[in-house]
Amino acid sequence: MYALIVFLPLIAAIIAGLITLFGAMKTANAPAAHHHDDHHHGVSASDRLSQLVTVAGVVVAAAISVAAFIDVALNGNPITIDLFTWISSGDFTADWSLRFDTLTCVMLIVVTGVSSMVHIYSIGYMSHDPDKPRFMAYLSLFTFAMLMLVTADNLIQLFFGWEGVGLASYLLIGFWYSKPSASSAAMKAFIVNRVGDFGFALGIFAVYVLFGTVQFDTIFANAEEISGSTLVFLGHDFSALNIATFLLFIGAMGKSAQLGLHTWLPDAMEGPTPVSALIHAATMVTAGVFMVARLSPIFEYAETTLAIVTVVGATTAFFAATIGCVQNDIKRVIAYSTCSQLGYMFFACGVSAYSAGVFHLMTHGFFKALLFLSAGSVIHAMSDEQDMRKMGGIWKMVPLTFGVMIIGTLAITGVPGFAGYYSKDMIIESAFAAHTSVGLYAFWMGVIAAFMTSFYSWRLIFMTFFGAPRADERTMAHVHESPAVMTVPLLILAVGAVFAGWFAVNWFGGNYEEMLSFWNGAIFVAENHQALEHSHHVPGWVKMAPFVAMMLGLALAVLMYRLVPSLPRTLANTFNGIYRFLLNKWYFDELYDAIFVKPAFALGRGFWKAGDGALIDGVGPDGVAAACRNIARRISTLQSGFVYHYAFAMLIGIAALVSYTIWKMG
């Protein structure tokens, strides 16, 4: 029964894919005259079928996931379903099996829940697109890959899902493949993830070298005794688990867009909005956090890696928030906010509060999907306009979208009672309660990031919905509330954004005993890493800090975008250097362009001009071949066709032969 959760989206994706293929063949064979009529006559039967199949597959999977969650997580019956042996080579085996424990079931709720909302929403959002079946097929394929990743029972299967979401994200970001910006964004996402995945693959090799297996249970059981061993790396002895976990974490940095490998995420906004909601809210970007939580038994014995995770996470939370404050594209603001929230999840894992990190992953899945889809609804209403400088004054015309977007904003900024408040505060308190220097660093970065999060989230609301309309007349005349197929998913996600935190807080760390029985060993925390338990006993000012930061951010946004609207421009002009620095995203793209892209081009051009042109062509086609042709042409001039020339040549030949013979005999 549980296996259906994973395979229903796959079956749906295959069916939708076949519909796409048949449609393409039909279009290719149809006479040209009828070709352009199809797109204007609403939705064809094949479009409807693909939408029905994919939506049904994911919604049924979501329903089974809820049942699985109740059975596995709440009633404590973890189960592993063995499907078949996948690889068997010597003493190396990798089974194809689905592992259902509490961690998997939490992820299943998030992935199938958000994915089914996105599928339904897409029916409305993509209603004018000619390629509906292809889009639905990609969405379902993506969902399948993500489900494969979270139910993995060994590292190879995890890697399969890991690469699967990478592939599907490439297909989805580059969905409108005729737009050059979409194609290059898709390639960027794919290539930056290759960098991370190279580290991830090396990490899997390292784990296999150490443990002799890729099966999770065996690895977890032997983690403690292997924690003392060392590996020689670059001529130095390092703790073996530190190396392995650090390499695995590089994979997580790529997938979850952490500082350094984050450049692909904002560009990924080139895909259709539902894609952004699916990839950047609930699924692919959270794979890294999931992987760290899943491998907590080995991360717990790697102190150095945990410290690195904490610093990278905390720095990312701060860094992405600073950029989010000045972006003007409505989707890019939300993209940087995702990047920042992922930083929170990682530093939670870094101080061993894995449970708080996964809690934030879940609540964030709901409110971030809500924010993305609401933004999509706004873009839809504004005739595909994404620049917030050309919006404003539309809240009365799209009341429902405005309402749910406010709910999403209240949740992300951490207003008490909403989902984000419980998880974000739990993370910030745990970082303080870790009582380490990196923990304190993470605490302060988290509080400052909370201030900025509040500022850019409210800035987005004020710029988009309030003030005088800044769009042209034609756009304003077309502003309309989205159809029910788009607003109902928004309302369902809004319920999640309001209640998910309050409902689940005790399972994820609000109550220590309840948390232990809920996780049931799915997450391992070492004896000396009890930051989450200590987070209940932090001083009062620590508990207040995120709330104060949030209120200050709100106050600043109100001041700058409602009370004194001229202030942002004045500040941008006064602190022009800082403003340009943030607007250009800390110049990371320019830096990578100078370090990697330009030299790669130079190297390629060098190989092409010098290596291929001068050397290979020079010796090969242009060298030997040219020489042969040259000599042949010169010899061919001897063949004149006059008889006396030939007779003369024969005479010379005979004379030469006779002379030679005489000379030899002499």
Side-chain angles (χ1 to χ4, degrees):
M1 180 75 170
Y2 291 166
L4 282 178
I5 298 176
V6 182
F7 292 111
L8 277 174
L10 175 65
I11 296 163
I14 291 170
I15 294 172
L18 289 172
I19 292 173
T20 312
L21 282 177
F22 285 132
M25 282 152 68
K26 205 167 74 186
T27 316
N29 298 335
H34 302 292
H35 177 71
H36 57 264
D37 299 346
D38 299 350
H39 300 339
H40 302 298
H41 291 295
V43 186
S44 69
S46 57
D47 290 354
R48 269 283 169 259
L49 180 63
S50 64
Q51 289 169 343
L52 274 170
V53 170
T54 48
V55 167
V58 183
V59 169
V60 172
I64 306 174
S65 299
V66 173
F69 179 80
I70 292 169
D71 181 40
V72 173
L74 302 186
N75 299 337
N77 304 318
I79 178 174
T80 301
I81 302 171
D82 287 319
L83 300 175
F84 51 87
T85 304
W86 184 21
I87 303 172
S88 178
S89 162
D91 56 355
F92 171 76
T93 53
D95 288 332
W96 197 267
S97 48
L98 308 177
R99 175 192 187 100
F100 289 91
D101 59 8
T102 306
L103 182 58
T104 302
C105 287
V106 170
M107 291 299 289
L108 287 180
I109 294 275
V110 176
V111 174
T112 56
V114 173
S115 185
S116 49
M117 291 305 107
V118 170
H119 273 73
I120 295 169
Y121 178 93
S122 299
I123 295 177
Y125 191 84
M126 302 298 284
S127 59
H128 300 305
D129 200 281
D131 293 325
K132 299 183 199 60
R134 182 165 67 95
F135 187 72
M136 300 313 276
Y138 288 171
L139 280 183
S140 285
L141 178 69
F142 183 89
T143 310
F144 161 71
M146 191 66 200
L147 292 169
M148 204 76 250
L149 191 156
V150 299
T151 54
D153 191 41
N154 60 54
L155 286 166
I156 306 291
Q157 193 183 333
L158 182 70
F159 191 70
F160 168 77
W162 195 264
E163 294 303 313
V165 289
L167 164 74
S169 73
Y170 168 77
L171 295 172
L172 283 167
I173 296 167
F175 178 75
W176 288 318
Y177 51 81
S178 51
K179 268 172 55 181
S181 59
S183 294
S184 54
M187 283 192 283
K188 188 171 180 182
F190 203 69
I191 292 164
V192 173
N193 268 297
R194 293 284 67 67
V195 178
D197 293 348
F198 181 64
F200 189 58
L202 289 178
I204 295 176
F205 300 155
V207 169
Y208 182 66
V209 166
L210 292 172
F211 292 90
T213 177
V214 290
Q215 208 64 30
F216 285 155
D217 292 329
T218 326
I219 293 172
F220 297 166
N222 300 333
E224 193 165 4
E225 58 191 75
I226 287 184
S227 61
S229 56
T230 56
L231 274 178
V232 178
F233 182 66
L234 301 178
H236 293 278
D237 276 350
F238 288 101
S239 148
L241 283 183
N242 273 332
I243 294 268
T245 50
F246 177 66
L247 289 166
L248 290 165
F249 176 61
I250 290 179
M253 279 174 69
K255 199 56 92 205
S256 295
Q258 291 303 287
L259 189 66
L261 296 176
H262 65 279
T263 50
W264 65 271
L265 199 144
D267 288 29
M269 295 299 117
E270 289 297 334
T273 309
V275 175
S276 313
L278 186 60
I279 295 184
H280 308 112
T283 52
M284 176 166 147
V285 289
T286 56
V289 183
F290 165 78
M291 189 267 298
V292 175
R294 166 62 82 215
L295 298 176
S296 56
I298 54 177
F299 272 85
E300 279 300 276
Y301 294 108
E303 295 286 346
T304 318
T305 308
L306 283 179
I308 293 171
V309 173
T310 311
V311 171
V312 169
T315 312
T316 307
F318 171 78
F319 149 82
T322 58
I323 299 179
C325 289
V326 297
Q327 293 298 309
N328 294 311
D329 180 320
I330 184 167
K331 282 170 71 176
R332 289 202 175 212
V333 175
I334 309 179
Y336 277 108
S337 114
T338 302
C339 199
S340 174
Q341 299 298 314
L342 286 161
Y344 278 99
M345 295 173 214
F346 274 111
F347 78 68
C349 292
V351 296
S352 300
Y354 301 98
S355 173
V358 175
F359 185 26
H360 197 55
L361 187 160
M362 180 201 65
T363 56
H364 171 261
F366 289 117
F367 62 68
K368 189 51 63 73
L370 174 64
L371 283 169
F372 264 126
L373 294 182
S374 308
S377 183
V378 171
I379 293 167
H380 201 67
M382 297 293 291
S383 321
D384 294 336
E385 178 60 64
Q386 295 188 16
D387 191 332
M388 295 192 299
R389 288 170 300 192
K390 296 184 187 155
M391 296 182 184
I394 59 167
W395 71 275
K396 287 197 174 102
M397 306 178 200
V398 284
L400 209 160
T401 302
F402 171 64
V404 291
M405 197 137 191
I406 288 284
I407 291 176
T409 303
L410 292 169
I412 192 174
T413 52
V415 173
F418 288 82
Y421 161 75
Y422 294 100
S423 52
K424 187 184 259 187
D425 284 26
M426 191 187 290
I427 288 176
I428 291 175
E429 286 158 23
S430 302
F432 183 85
H435 298 306
T436 55
S437 49
V438 286
L440 265 178
Y441 170 74
F443 166 75
W444 283 113
M445 284 292 149
V447 172
I448 297 166
F451 161 71
M452 289 189 289
T453 302
S454 175
F455 172 72
Y456 64 64
S457 301
W458 287 108
R459 168 179 177 261
L460 185 144
I461 293 284
F462 295 144
M463 280 180 79
T464 306
F465 293 107
F466 290 98
R470 294 184 293 276
D472 52 32
E473 260 82 75
R474 220 176 85 241
T475 311
M476 290 309 290
H478 284 263
V479 175
H480 58 286
E481 186 57 270
S482 300
V485 72
M486 286 165 70
T487 51
V488 170
L490 290 177
L491 291 170
I492 297 174
L493 287 168
V495 171
V498 177
F499 294 115
W502 165 81
F503 191 73
V505 64
N506 284 345
W507 297 336
F508 288 96
N511 177 328
Y512 194 67
E513 270 62 48
E514 213 172 314
M515 180 181 92
L516 290 181
S517 71
F518 174 73
W519 285 107
N520 201 2
I523 285 180
F524 169 81
V525 179
E527 288 300 313
N528 53 344
H529 286 168
Q530 297 295 350
L532 194 59
E533 195 184 356
H534 298 320
S535 70
H536 300 302
H537 315 301
V538 292
W541 66 269
V542 174
K543 284 191 190 306
M544 283 308 288
F547 178 72
V548 173
M550 184 263 307
M551 292 312 286
L552 286 173
L554 170 59
L556 187 62
V558 170
L559 175 71
M560 282 173 68
Y561 291 93
R562 297 298 299 141
L563 304 177
V564 195
S566 59
L567 195 56
R569 180 158 294 147
T570 321
L571 281 175
N573 291 337
T574 317
F575 300 105
N576 196 21
I578 298 176
Y579 178 70
R580 308 274 348 145
F581 182 64
L582 297 180
L583 193 65
N584 289 307
K585 322 173 182 93
W586 289 29
Y587 294 106
F588 262 97
D589 283 321
E590 288 77 1
L591 182 72
Y592 286 170
D593 194 57
I595 298 176
F596 301 116
V597 181
K598 291 266 179 356
F601 272 124
L603 192 67
R605 193 158 279 119
F607 277 140
W608 168 43
K609 290 288 189 212
D612 194 36
L615 191 66
I616 297 172
D617 288 354
V619 173
D622 302 345
V624 179
C628 290
R629 210 163 67 231
N630 236 335
I631 295 163
R633 193 163 58 246
R634 285 182 187 162
I635 291 173
S636 69
T637 54
L638 296 176
Q639 304 282 354
S640 63
F642 293 120
V643 174
Y644 56 86
H645 279 177
Y646 294 128
F648 180 63
M650 282 173 174
L651 234 164
I652 291 177
I654 289 167
L657 197 65
V658 170
S659 313
Y660 179 70
T661 319
I662 291 171
W663 175 67
K664 266 295 198 206
M665 284 162 75

